[in-house]
Amino acid sequence: MSALKAVLAGNPNSGKTTLFNLIAGTHYKVANYPGVTVEKKEAKVHYDGSEIILTDLPGTYSLTAYSLEEVVARDFITTTNPDIIIDVVDASNLERNLYLAVQLMELDKPLVLALNMVDMAEKRNIRIDADLLAKKIGVPVIKTIARDGVGKKELLEGVLRFKSERKEFRISYGSDLDPALEEMEALINENAFLTESYPARWVALKYLENDVEVMKKGEVFTDVHGKLTAIVEKVEKHLKKTLDTYPEIIIADYRYGYLKSVLKDVVKKENEMERLYLSDKADKVLTHRVLGPVIMLAVLYGLYEFTFWASETPVGWLESLFGWLGGVADAALPEGLLKSLIISGVIDGVGGVLGFAPLILFMFFIIAILEDTGYMTRIAYMLDRVFRAFGLQGSSVVPYIVAGGIAGGCAIPGVMAARTIKSPKERLLTILTTPFMACGAKLPVYALLIAAFWPGNKGGMMLGITLGSWVLALLMAKVLGLTIVKGEQSVFIMELPPYRLPTLKGLLFHAWEKTWMYVKKAGTIILAVSIILWALMTFPGMSEERAAFYEDQIAQVESTVTDEEAQAAAVAEIENAALSEELRGSYAGRIGTAMEPVTQLAGFDWRTNISIIAGIAAKELVVSSLGTAYSLGEVDAEESGSLSERLASDPSWSLATALAFLMFTMLYSPCFVTLAVINKETGSKKWTAFTLVGYTAFAFVVSIIVYNVAGLIL
Amino acid sequence: MEVLLRNMKVNQKGTVIRINCEGEVCRRIRDIGISVGAEVFVTGRAPLYDPVALKVNDTVVTLRNSEADNIYVEVKG
């Protein structure tokens, strides 16, 4: 017995995902549709002796193939040929929800309607005659309340019972289009034109709607394609002349007209326009022109504070866990390369990634709350005008803030938070500019430089850096949007769904599945990179001659200095000098030295260069590798006082160098985990390479300018 | 009185009489439920007066002024 293929379609906010979770329980897999970054959820469900494979399609209002979600939904339905489509419709807003149903029915696939949230509709005094609706549109209608778990059984029974029911569905598109449609239909059937995948009438409609995707497929058959476009042209001309309109407008109007006639006796309600729902009342305050932004800032600030506060303890636990593991490895393994690899490469590398996991979890938990309550769309609505000036949109503010828009965030969840942006161009721009924010790992670098060179004005400098990051990110978004980030001017038309109380289960689902994806994907990449970086900073190692020289020195100190404290200090100094020399001789050090003639243009010597290379792996390494290079041993990023003094007094560092390095840190390549996440989220190696190479080159150019200009002024 | 949706005031009501464009923007407008004959009620405007939020078919939708420029409304009162 083969499994039954069912897909779940429906409008955004129709409760589709809640219904999916209800049916699937926790037994589902999340992946991306092949080639695109739209999420795909799939679950195997057993019911009444049958196996059902349920796929959750992205939420769409229509199947017009304009947005990525629509293309994915349509392609999935036409290529996988499911046994049944479950269309989830919001009972409170039947007309618009059924607009999608009409399009699904025109695909001539078996369909079941899940009339969802009937309780909400009843609360609003909307009564729906489900049986009459089923009779009128010829599709089974099952009432559900997904949130409360009502209707699961009936729906599954319906799926099994109605799977084979396939009815032809056609509505009239009026005296102007119907004759043309018939002519085209006949032509399509005669030539079996695309009929393998689509019903003939549907193809005809798509030609009239100017559907680029379908027409591209049809172009191969020049003969039929030519005849069809000729008919379409004739109709278009006629409509333009007589009604000053376009076929696609007529089609949409007739679909709504059909639905109005269907719903006439099906839906009974009071005159809703007059009523002010609770949600509308809340909006009067929450999206108020003055009060709204104030509340929003408070909410976003609260979100940020909560995330970092709540994740602090578990992050600490994980840090201690990895510290403990490192200790165990230190004690168990013999001195040597293997030990160094396990501790510095594997444990530190993987620990660095997993250490962020609680942060990501809380972040997504909060974002899930913002999304599930419906507040996220209000943020987008209130801020859209401001962000649009830079080619972004209202929703871009969340990724920015999470990434360090309020200093101390993290670009990894920030980039991931850009998923809430639906328009591809704006989403890409947000992803590409989010890493400029002052993330938690960049802060020690800023703090180090400020303490060394601007000790009198710490707070002001930090504020300036944070604001500067915003300005740079927004300007970069503007420039990229005008130059290399291609894509059409996006459309900002969306629903502000009624406020809803999210379910804890739903929130945990959302948060957990995204965290797990992060751990899995980023974990494998960072491990590899971490090992490579370890190798770069370890090999080829010090020559035996030099190693013997330092050993001799230590032996000498041990034999001549009797005071224990003084002896230990002297030994540590020699060991640090040895470490520094070893680092300079390593591949990373050689690269840093080789880069010197060029980086000197910005005032960076080989030590700075090593810290830059290490910073690509993780920004935390900038301070610690500078410490090693300056013979101070490993410097803790949080306590860099001695390094500050060292830099301030070092002749190779000046105010101009510090300013140039500060700008460089702000602008250059994000760390490797962020790069991995960018690669995953954009699905493009090109953009990942751009953020790595392009930004680093750009940062360098800026640093050179800053260094030279500042050198003249300061 | 016929006005562009962009020029409607908060709390004003009306009926959509014409949506004058083709292509993605207009398709999206109709997909979200704004069709000829639909009753609209402007519920609010964003802090910088743009986008506009309106109630149509019991749901609140929002669109930018540049998109609202395609929609003609017969205003009541």
Side-chain angles (χ1 to χ4, degrees):
Chain A
M1 191 186 63
S2 67
L4 186 77
K5 283 184 289 182
V7 299
L8 208 56
N11 280 190
N13 309 311
S14 60
K16 199 167 59 71
T17 304
T18 315
L19 192 66
F20 178 85
N21 289 342
L22 171 69
I23 297 176
T26 51
H27 312 286
Y28 61 78
K29 280 190 302 192
V30 187
N32 282 351
Y33 286 93
V36 290
T37 49
V38 176
E39 256 178 42
K40 174 185 182 174
K41 279 192 197 168
E42 210 174 72
K44 274 191 190 137
V45 185
H46 294 272
Y47 186 79
D48 203 16
S50 301
E51 189 181 49
I52 304 169
I53 297 176
L54 184 68
T55 310
D56 190 24
L57 295 180
T60 62
Y61 292 112
S62 167
L63 292 180
T64 47
Y66 267 136
S67 74
L68 195 57
E69 282 82 6
E70 288 170 3
V71 176
V72 165
R74 200 170 88 181
D75 283 354
F76 192 84
I77 292 170
T78 50
T79 55
T80 63
N81 218 352
D83 297 299
I84 192 154
I85 302 170
I86 305 165
D87 181 14
V88 188
V89 296
D90 174 0
S92 307
N93 188 11
L94 262 186
E95 188 178 308
R96 194 196 61 207
N97 277 259
L98 287 178
Y99 187 69
L100 176 68
V102 169
Q103 296 177 55
L104 288 169
M105 287 190 283
E106 280 178 333
L107 275 170
D108 282 349
K109 306 274 180 203
L111 189 74
V112 169
L113 277 193
L115 190 61
N116 197 24
M117 302 195 276
V118 278
D119 54 332
M120 299 287 278
E122 270 163 25
K123 261 189 215 152
R124 293 175 169 194
N125 280 324
I126 303 173
R127 309 218 173 271
I128 298 160
D129 188 339
D131 294 335
L132 185 63
L133 176 64
K135 216 173 98 191
K136 279 192 169 183
I137 60 172
V139 164
V141 179
I142 292 152
K143 287 187 178 183
T144 58
I145 307 169
R147 268 182 61 112
D148 299 344
V150 175
K152 175 183 173 180
K153 204 173 121 236
E154 291 80 357
L155 196 64
L156 285 171
E157 267 162 21
V159 166
L160 294 178
R161 191 147 31 102
F162 299 117
K163 65 177 185 219
S164 56
E165 231 171 76
R166 183 176 299 226
K167 283 197 192 118
E168 204 187 7
F169 174 85
R170 42 178 63 215
I171 57 174
S172 163
Y173 286 101
S175 58
D176 287 304
L177 294 191
D178 277 349
L181 267 173
E182 265 164 46
E183 194 185 335
M184 292 165 81
E185 218 184 318
L187 196 66
I188 290 164
N189 273 328
E190 237 167 70
N191 296 285
F193 176 79
L194 303 179
T195 46
E196 260 170 54
S197 320
Y198 316 110
R201 189 178 169 85
W202 189 83
V203 175
L205 278 169
K206 288 295 134 184
Y207 263 80
L208 281 170
E209 281 181 323
N210 252 322
D211 187 294
V212 188
E213 294 259 320
V214 170
M215 288 171 85
K216 211 188 270 166
K217 280 184 190 147
E219 265 172 27
V220 192
F221 312 93
T222 36
D223 186 33
V224 192
H225 176 79
K227 282 181 190 162
L228 288 176
T229 43
I231 298 174
V232 172
E233 256 170 53
K234 214 175 80 189
V235 175
E236 273 174 357
K237 237 183 227 161
H238 175 74
L239 282 177
K240 191 83 204 150
K241 214 164 56 191
T242 54
L243 297 166
D244 189 25
T245 187
Y246 307 92
E248 57 174 282
I249 297 183
I250 304 258
I251 291 172
D253 286 351
Y254 269 86
R255 280 182 184 151
Y256 274 116
Y258 164 77
L259 289 173
K260 279 201 176 80
S261 75
V262 163
L263 295 177
K264 215 170 159 199
D265 302 315
V266 170
V267 180
K268 294 203 169 55
K269 57 178 174 182
E270 293 175 357
N271 190 359
E272 303 296 334
M273 295 289 278
E274 309 298 332
R275 288 187 49 166
L276 204 59
Y277 299 122
L278 204 60
S279 187
D280 298 341
K281 276 187 195 154
D283 262 341
K284 285 265 179 266
V285 180
L286 292 175
T287 65
H288 184 270
R289 287 186 59 189
V290 182
L291 220 50
V294 176
I295 296 171
M296 180 182 63
L297 285 179
V299 167
L300 290 175
Y301 183 71
L303 168 168
Y304 171 87
E305 282 289 320
F306 173 80
T307 306
F308 287 91
W309 168 79
S311 58
E312 201 183 332
T313 313
V315 165
W317 287 340
L318 282 175
E319 270 173 11
S320 337
L321 174 70
F322 284 100
W324 175 79
L325 270 179
V328 169
D330 191 30
L333 295 167
E335 286 297 329
L337 277 181
L338 179 71
K339 179 174 181 170
S340 162
L341 170 69
I342 299 274
I343 295 177
S344 306
V346 179
I347 295 178
D348 286 357
V350 174
V353 177
L354 287 184
F356 280 119
L359 186 71
I360 307 253
L361 187 72
F362 280 104
M363 191 65 245
F364 276 116
F365 186 76
I366 298 286
I367 288 182
I369 293 179
L370 290 182
E371 284 204 318
D372 290 4
T373 52
Y375 191 65
M376 189 71 95
T377 54
R378 270 77 181 181
I379 294 177
Y381 161 72
M382 284 188 277
L383 283 175
D384 182 66
R385 190 68 196 87
V386 181
F387 277 72
R388 199 193 322 162
F390 300 96
L392 303 167
Q393 61 145 287
S395 314
S396 308
V397 71
V398 174
Y400 273 23
I401 286 182
V402 172
I406 305 171
C410 174
I412 300 155
V415 169
M416 290 170 89
R419 288 182 173 202
T420 54
I421 300 168
K422 291 283 172 262
S423 136
K425 183 177 180 179
E426 291 162 357
R427 181 166 167 227
L428 180 59
L429 283 175
T430 309
I431 290 174
L432 291 179
T433 52
T434 291
F436 288 146
M437 293 293 148
C439 77
K442 283 181 187 173
L443 286 185
V445 186
Y446 297 147
L448 169 77
L449 294 174
I450 291 173
F453 296 98
W454 297 275
N457 192 11
K458 285 184 182 165
M461 273 305 285
M462 203 49 116
L463 183 68
I465 289 170
T466 309
L467 293 179
S469 305
W470 276 85
V471 172
L472 283 169
L474 290 172
L475 287 179
M476 183 60 94
K478 182 81 189 167
V479 171
L480 289 179
L482 289 174
T483 53
I484 52 173
V485 177
K486 298 274 186 287
E488 300 207 349
Q489 164 70 44
S490 76
V491 181
F492 185 80
I493 298 174
M494 61 177 196
E495 185 178 349
L496 300 180
Y499 291 101
R500 280 180 205 144
L501 206 61
T503 61
L504 185 65
K505 210 174 140 192
L507 296 178
L508 291 175
F509 265 144
H510 284 306
W512 174 248
E513 76 194 14
K514 292 195 167 116
T515 308
W516 179 237
M517 271 170 104
Y518 160 78
V519 169
K520 232 170 30 180
K521 301 261 168 166
T524 46
I525 294 171
I526 200 67
L527 178 60
V529 166
S530 168
I531 290 173
I532 292 170
L533 195 86
W534 167 82
L536 278 179
M537 293 176 76
T538 306
F539 291 109
M542 206 181 279
S543 69
E544 269 174 42
E545 207 179 307
R546 295 299 295 166
F549 167 76
Y550 281 110
E551 267 162 37
D552 277 353
Q553 278 205 323
I554 291 172
Q556 213 172 359
V557 165
E558 280 171 344
S559 61
T560 53
V561 183
T562 44
D563 178 54
E564 247 177 61
E565 246 173 70
Q567 194 193 68
V571 168
E573 200 175 307
I574 296 166
E575 277 174 348
N576 287 338
L579 267 176
S580 173
E581 187 179 317
E582 192 179 352
L583 183 62
R584 179 161 199 173
S586 73
Y587 291 116
R590 288 179 195 188
I591 296 170
T593 312
M595 277 160 51
E596 231 176 24
V598 186
T599 56
Q600 273 298 343
L601 295 173
F604 302 160
D605 68 359
W606 67 273
R607 287 179 271 237
T608 316
N609 292 346
I610 292 182
S611 75
I612 288 169
I613 297 170
I616 294 179
K619 296 284 179 288
E620 287 90 343
L621 296 178
V622 173
V623 173
S624 63
S625 59
L626 270 178
T628 307
Y630 275 96
S631 308
L632 293 168
E634 285 259 340
V635 169
D636 189 339
E638 311 295 324
E639 290 155 30
S640 52
S642 55
L643 185 56
S644 271
E645 283 165 28
R646 186 64 192 265
L647 293 189
S649 62
D650 195 285
S652 67
W653 280 80
S654 64
L655 266 183
T657 326
L659 206 56
F661 189 57
L662 204 143
M663 290 302 290
F664 192 86
T665 307
M666 208 183 268
L667 290 172
Y668 88 115
S669 168
C671 68
F672 262 118
V673 189
T674 306
L675 285 171
V677 173
I678 288 176
N679 190 46
K680 163 111 194 3
E681 295 294 311
T682 60
S684 151
K685 290 198 172 60
K686 196 184 83 184
W687 288 120
T688 316
F690 173 76
T691 42
L692 171 65
V693 182
Y695 282 175
T696 305
F698 173 69
F700 187 57
V701 171
V702 171
S703 309
I704 292 175
I705 296 169
V706 167
Y707 177 68
N708 287 293
V709 172
L712 290 176
I713 300 169
L714 296 171
Chain B
M1 191 180 53
E2 181 187 318
V3 298
L4 276 173
L5 177 57
R6 175 201 279 267
N7 298 325
M8 283 177 79
K9 293 182 183 66
V10 173
N11 289 335
Q12 217 170 21
K13 236 191 293 186
T15 311
V16 175
I17 47 173
R18 207 145 42 91
I19 303 172
N20 207 21
C21 60
E22 63 171 338
E24 175 168 11
V25 174
C26 266
R27 206 174 292 206
R28 287 277 178 88
I29 287 173
R30 281 187 295 268
D31 286 351
I32 203 129
I34 304 174
S35 57
V36 171
E39 303 252 301
V40 294
F41 173 74
V42 177
T43 59
R45 286 191 177 271
L48 294 173
Y49 209 65
D50 184 18
V52 55
L54 48 125
K55 196 157 215 189
V56 52
N57 289 327
D58 280 346
T59 51
V60 182
V61 300
T62 174
L63 66 168
R64 291 173 177 165
N65 274 340
S66 54
E67 290 145 359
D69 274 345
N70 301 301
I71 302 168
Y72 294 82
V73 181
E74 177 74 37
V75 174
K76 285 176 196 156

